[in-house]
Every structure is written in C-alpha cells, then in structure tokens.
Amino acid sequence: MAQHDLMDKIVSLCKRKGFVFPASEIYGGIGNTYDYGPLGVELLRRVKDAWWSRMVTERADVVGLDSAIIQNPQTWVTSGHVGGFSDPMVDCKKCKARFRADKLEDARCPEKPSKRPGECGGELTEPREFNLMFKTHVGPVEGEGSVAYLRPETAQGIFLNFKNVMESTRLKPPFGIAQIGKSFRNEITPGNFVFRTREFEQAEMEFFVPPAEDEKWYEYWCKERFQWYIDLGIDPDKLRLRAHEAKELAHYAKATSDVEYEYPFGWGELEGIANRTDFDLSRHSEASGKDLVYFDPQTKEKYTPYVIEPAGGINRMALTFLIDAYDEEQLEKDKRTVLHLHPLIAPTTVGVFPLVKKEGMPEKAHEIASGLRRAGFSTFYDEKAAIGRRYRRQDENGTPFCVTIDGETLADDVVTVRHRDSMEQERVPVAELTTYLSEAVHGWKRPDRT
Ligand code: ATP
C-alpha cells in the first residue's frame, strides 16, 4: 500500500468509525483541530492507562501529579519559554504563507503544492522568531498585569511542586513525578492529522537523580521508553532511538534522544528523553528565592538534583498505534481491514453476539455481556447483520475477541471465542470465559511479529 494512501485511509477510518472527527465541523472546522469520538476517547484512555501503569503504578519510585494549566506567568519567564520558546519562521512575500525555517524541506507552497516554499517564484523573508505560547488574561480587566499563559508543557508544573511532593511523600532521589495533561502550542505549521495540533495531551515524567548518576539514568530511561512501545506491539523495524546532535539540543538539555517512528510521511518524533540537568530547579530556585535542593540527613549531602525527562504526546502515541496496527488482508473470498491493536489499548476488548436474534440467544448473550462488563472488560453487544459482517466490523474497530452464543450454548454453556488476528475460533465454557480472556489480553503477541 502506498504510504500516502495509508494516511488517507487512517483519516477516513477514524471519521467513519468514530475515533476522530474534525472539530467544529458544522461551522467549517477550525484548522487542524480535532475531537475524539466514542472509540477515540477509549483509545486515548487506554494509552494513558498503559503509560500510567508502567510509569507510576508498577513502580515504587514514581508518583503522580495533576498541576494547573495556568500557572503564575513568572513560571514561563524563568523556564525560558517567554524569551525563547519559539520556532524561526519565514513568510512568503507572494502568497503570505508562513513556514518553519527549519522544516522548509518538508513544506509545500500552498499555491503550487508540487514546489517547496521559495521554489515557486515567491521570495521568502529572513527567519523571525515566533513565540508558541498562547496568551490569555486572568480576571475581569485586560492589562499588562493580567497576562497569563496556557502551559506549553506539563513539566514546569512538576518542577514547581518538587518540594511539595518530596516533603509529602518523603521520597528521596532517585525518584520521579509523572503527569498527564493538556498542553497548548500555537504551532505555526500543524498538520499530518493529529500528529501536530495546537492543543494536545502530554505524558511527562521528571526523574530527579543525584547529579553523579545522571548518565546512568538517562540510558535507563531511553531503553525503558523504547521498550514500552515494543511491548505494546509497535513494529521494532519502524522504531529508532535517535540521539540529538549538539546543535539540535534545547537550551536546558545536556543530552536528548528521540524515540522516532517511520510514519507514512517519514520519520518523526514520538517521544523525547532529555537530560535537563539541574537547569529548571536551579532557575526556579533563583527566581523564587525558595531553596529547591535535596538534603540527605544521613550523608549530610546537599544538592540540586539532575532531571531525566521522558516526554511524549498521548495523541501522537494513539495515532502511531493506529497507523502501526492498520492492515488490509486479502482473504480467500474477500478483503478485510483490521486493526491489530494490542488488547490492552484496543477501545473495545470483547464483542458479544447471539448467532441469531431468536431462540433465547439474545437473552443469553446479554447475560454474558453483562458478566464481562462487571468483570471490567470493555464489551460491545451486537445482534445486527450476519455474523461474518459483525466480525468484520469489530476487526476494523480493533476489537481483539468476539464471543458468539449459538444454539449449543443454551444446552452446554459453552461459547465460541473468535480471535481477531488469526480469525481462529475456540469453544470456551462460560464459567472459564473471564479467566480465558484475561490471559489472552495479557499474553497477546502480534502473530506476524513474533
Ligand atoms: P516537535 O519537534 O515535533 O515540535 P518537540 O521536540 O517540541 O516536538 P517536546 O517539547 O519534546 O516536543 O514534547 C514532547 C512530546 O509532546 C513530543 O514528543 C510529542 O509527542 C508531543 N508533542 C509536542 N508538540 C506536539 C503537538 N503540537 N501536537 C501533538 N503532540 C505534540
């Protein structure tokens, strides 16, 4: 399948099946802004849950936080965002379109899409800095003193709470604080569907370490974050870890590596792991006059921890899982579209179907569906259309398992479990169904990747 076709197919499947809709569509939309429909919102929730499980719940050394989107504006002055959070931009003097100066290679002239900006006869301006933060006003009067910013990253809320968390939990370095939440950037060239939008959700974790241990932990988190994507079924051949060259590094970073995925539009950043040194804590300490250091009562050592930060975007992760899972398979008689999503992140885990809409099968199927819901499985009941069509619909939604109730079930309490990936069917006693499905969810491996 041609790669640009793949992206079009993903966009169309997302709309058709209720993953992602263009925002404000009835008013003509608002450029590159999207809403998540019933399946999309489940996918996002599961990606967040999978991240949170791995980063917080399964660990003894990381705790969570939910900080405010609008913080004291000094936060962004101190962090360097007010002065430096900008992309260099160039304008086309002819068509007035604006492009990122560092991404001209990938950009297209809006009037002549076969050409790059500047190659279309239009002259480009010198690059100018463009601040990416959304400004707003707090309180009833708009004025200099009421300016505030929507956070462009969740990380700063974590730094501001470093001391609060350390004191309330009595954790000591090395330890981490994780947060998932919305961030806002006035991106000048959003695009590639939900890959780059102006409003998005981030999953960030700041891991505070003794300065002498920074390189060890940086290596650790690069490996750990890379592995997470593989464990959730992403094709390892389409993933790479790319270390930034010195000239690419952000002002606060000693080292950064990006987990990159090979998207239909080329390699792109999925997540960044940065060694932010003691830059943020030191700056906030200086600007606020508050001591943001760690004092070890045993060794009497006092230091400002270094910070290793894995920072990813939930929407970008969800898009990546969708792209990677998408497949069109030629079967004997027809073709099927299937999303081979890991069962842990698939929006629906089980489809429950009566074989036919009579003879007590719907009642029995409803009873089994309720039992599965109570056991915590995301369950979808469907009695419309032929059974083969119902399986196909769930294949397209990425539902890994379907349970069919037939005439025999009423006699022997045994159902058919149909597997999305192999399309194989197995007979399973109702009494063993939840254990069977639970093992199938956790033991899942993508068949063509093992
Ligand atoms: P880029 O170079 O793509 O602009 P960045 O290096 O500025 O990204 P970070 O500041 O490191 O991104 O943000 C961490 C993560 O947040 C990114 O890896 C990405 O997954 C996500 N992210 C950043 N900007 C956006 C956006 N505009 N839309 C969606 N996700 C984003």
Side-chain angles (χ1 to χ4, degrees):
M1 188 186 336
Q3 290 296 289
H4 62 273
D5 283 356
L6 172 59
M7 207 56 204
D8 290 347
K9 283 177 173 170
I10 296 281
V11 175
S12 122
L13 177 131
C14 281
K15 171 100 197 279
R16 192 171 71 250
K17 302 297 273 184
F19 280 94
V20 183
F21 306 125
S24 321
E25 200 179 9
I26 62 166
Y27 288 112
I30 166 163
N32 291 291
T33 307
Y34 297 92
D35 295 334
Y36 286 78
L39 290 188
V41 81
E42 290 294 336
L43 176 65
L44 291 180
R45 281 178 67 96
R46 272 155 230 272
V47 172
K48 285 185 264 188
D49 286 349
W51 188 89
W52 196 264
S53 279
R54 183 76 159 249
M55 300 296 280
V56 184
T57 319
E58 292 169 23
R59 303 186 63 102
D61 56 358
V62 180
V63 291
L65 180 79
D66 191 357
S67 68
I69 286 173
I70 296 178
Q71 298 281 354
N72 185 311
Q74 180 59 41
T75 306
W76 310 107
V77 177
T78 308
S79 67
H81 286 88
V82 170
F85 188 58
S86 54
D87 284 335
M89 305 302 304
V90 294
D91 293 331
C92 174
K93 290 186 182 166
K94 193 162 143 233
C95 72
K96 309 287 177 228
R98 184 169 277 183
F99 309 95
R100 263 173 76 164
D102 58 338
K103 300 257 158 140
L104 284 177
E105 278 294 300
D106 307 331
R108 291 280 165 250
C109 164
E111 289 184 348
K112 293 188 187 158
S114 63
K115 307 239 181 239
R116 294 203 178 85
E119 294 174 354
C120 58
E123 193 192 334
L124 300 179
T125 60
E126 286 298 307
R128 277 191 291 253
E129 296 296 308
F130 176 83
N131 196 289
L132 295 180
M133 274 200 298
F134 277 102
K135 243 188 210 173
T136 187
H137 290 273
V138 172
V141 188
E142 283 192 17
E144 270 300 297
S146 68
V147 168
Y149 301 95
L150 303 189
R151 69 177 174 203
E153 61 175 30
T154 65
Q156 296 303 322
I158 297 180
F159 297 127
L160 302 188
N161 282 288
F162 163 71
K163 204 116 208 204
N164 285 335
V165 172
M166 197 167 56
E167 285 172 2
S168 57
T169 60
R170 297 170 57 227
L171 282 164
K172 53 185 211 170
F175 79 95
I177 306 177
Q179 164 154 246
I180 297 180
K182 284 256 166 127
S183 290
F184 303 82
R185 295 182 188 177
N186 197 2
E187 299 276 6
I188 206 72
T189 42
N192 288 323
F193 194 35
V194 294
F195 180 82
R196 187 184 304 285
T197 50
R198 297 195 172 98
E199 174 179 340
F200 56 98
E201 217 159 2
Q202 281 190 312
E204 299 193 291
M205 197 275 289
E206 310 303 316
F207 200 71
F208 301 92
V209 303
E213 295 178 18
D214 67 330
E215 287 175 16
K216 176 182 99 182
W217 283 107
Y218 171 70
E219 294 298 319
Y220 170 88
W221 282 110
C222 284
K223 277 208 194 93
E224 165 60 15
R225 292 306 305 149
F226 193 81
Q227 189 59 38
W228 184 75
Y229 292 100
I230 291 174
D231 293 346
L232 283 174
I234 297 276
D235 185 352
D237 292 341
K238 294 205 160 198
L239 270 188
R240 70 180 184 197
L241 190 69
R242 190 183 67 80
H244 281 206
E245 290 170 30
K247 64 177 180 348
E248 278 180 272
L249 288 176
H251 59 283
Y252 52 74
K254 174 172 160 186
T256 298
S257 289
D258 289 342
V259 178
E260 295 188 336
Y261 182 79
E262 193 176 14
Y263 294 94
F265 44 85
W267 286 95
E269 172 183 336
L270 178 51
E271 163 159 356
I273 298 102
N275 179 347
R276 294 181 76 125
T277 69
D278 59 358
F279 177 85
D280 303 271
L281 288 179
S282 301
R283 294 278 300 249
H284 284 305
S285 185
E286 242 170 69
S288 66
K290 304 281 182 320
D291 212 8
L292 300 180
V293 294
Y294 170 69
F295 175 70
D296 189 324
Q298 265 141 26
T299 62
K300 309 280 181 240
E301 222 190 333
K302 190 172 162 184
Y303 60 83
T304 305
Y306 269 38
V307 173
I308 311 302
E309 171 198 75
I314 295 291
N315 315 76
R316 212 177 267 188
M317 291 174 192
L319 173 68
T320 311
F321 287 121
L322 282 176
I323 292 174
D324 199 68
Y326 186 93
D327 204 5
E328 287 173 7
E329 292 173 4
Q330 189 59 51
L331 307 176
E332 252 173 54
K333 292 201 194 103
D334 60 347
K335 206 169 86 168
R336 72 163 183 159
T337 300
V338 51
L339 294 179
H340 293 289
L341 289 169
H342 193 298
L344 281 174
I345 55 168
T348 307
T349 317
V350 203
V352 178
F353 313 146
L355 183 61
V356 289
K357 226 161 88 181
K358 54 185 183 195
E359 291 158 14
M361 289 180 224
E363 291 76 7
K364 183 71 183 169
H366 274 303
E367 186 191 310
I368 290 174
S370 302
L372 289 172
R373 286 193 192 104
R374 275 197 304 276
F377 292 96
S378 157
T379 305
F380 178 76
Y381 175 88
D382 189 8
E383 58 180 26
K384 289 178 231 70
I387 193 76
R389 291 232 3 232
R390 280 180 266 168
Y391 286 148
R392 290 288 190 277
R393 275 192 212 136
Q394 293 309 311
D395 288 344
E396 251 193 317
N397 289 357
T399 307
F401 312 106
C402 291
V403 170
T404 301
I405 287 79
D406 56 22
E408 280 178 49
T409 311
L410 304 175
D412 61 8
D413 230 24
V414 176
V415 291
T416 300
V417 176
R418 186 259 192 188
H419 294 253
R420 173 197 66 200
D421 301 319
S422 62
M423 291 182 285
E424 275 164 15
Q425 306 194 357
E426 260 180 287
R427 299 287 289 172
V428 179
V430 173
E432 291 166 23
L433 192 56
T434 52
T435 314
Y436 176 92
L437 289 173
S438 192
E439 282 170 6
V441 166
H442 293 281
W444 181 85
K445 291 259 176 319
R446 190 162 158 166
D448 53 346
R449 303 247 167 97
T450 48

